[in-house]
Amino acid sequence: LLGTLRIVPRWADDLNTTTVTDSATANLTFTVADGTGNGQANGYYKDVITVAASATVTIDLRALPLNLFGGSGSLSLAKVKALLIRNRSTTASLSVNGSTTNRWTALSAGAMTVGPEGVLYVTHLNAGYTTTATDKVIAITNNGASAADVEVYIVGVKS
């Protein structure tokens, strides 16, 4: 499994006498082999979730729904090696990992804000972030006045 995140910030400042322009590119690439040890993963989940205005959806890392070729099942992750949450909304702000039953505390001590068109991206490719039966749920709350589509990608080790 190969993952890539490309960041290309640009900044321009128009002063009275001159224009200063600067740009930088950061390519963060990682490779994860098949397995359960350091630098390895054997589970993958992705989805696009619609979160209604002022609503909250939860993602249970121990019961991720899988639908494939007309069949269904679930994926249970004991560890998360990479997590990417992308807010597709151009107006809504999201709160990620706020208060919920069985909240996944390995991600953060409290809620994190993902602004309009923002991305939350975390990796722990060696040991991974642990989940348990009571420490496993990510809550995504839409703070906006209209629905927001949210992309979710998770790479981990099956339990």
Side-chain angles (χ1 to χ4, degrees), residues 12-141:
D13 185 15
D14 188 10
L15 302 174
N16 288 337
T17 58
T18 186
T19 298
V20 177
T21 303
D22 189 18
S23 67
T25 300
N27 288 313
L28 308 173
T29 302
F30 66 87
T31 302
V32 179
D34 184 22
T36 61
N38 286 349
Q40 298 178 330
N42 62 2
Y44 173 73
Y45 171 82
K46 71 175 185 171
D47 200 359
V48 177
I49 300 166
T50 299
V51 186
S54 302
T56 299
V57 298
T58 58
I59 300 169
D60 185 335
L61 297 168
R62 291 286 181 120
L64 297 164
L66 297 176
N67 298 304
L68 208 53
F69 305 115
S72 63
S74 67
L75 172 66
S76 177
L77 295 177
K79 294 182 183 244
V80 173
K81 302 287 184 122
L83 168 71
L84 187 140
I85 297 174
R86 177 180 173 228
N87 181 2
R88 286 186 181 177
S89 172
T90 59
T91 58
S93 174
L94 306 174
S95 294
V96 176
N97 215 34
S99 180
T100 190
T101 303
N102 296 328
R103 185 174 75 80
W104 187 41
T105 59
L107 179 60
S108 68
M112 297 170 285
T113 300
V114 178
E117 298 181 317
V119 174
L120 171 65
Y121 179 63
V122 295
T123 63
H124 189 343
L125 301 177
N126 284 328
Y129 297 104
T130 301
T131 71
T132 69
T134 58
D135 191 359
K136 61 179 184 163
V137 177
I138 299 171
I140 301 175
T141 301

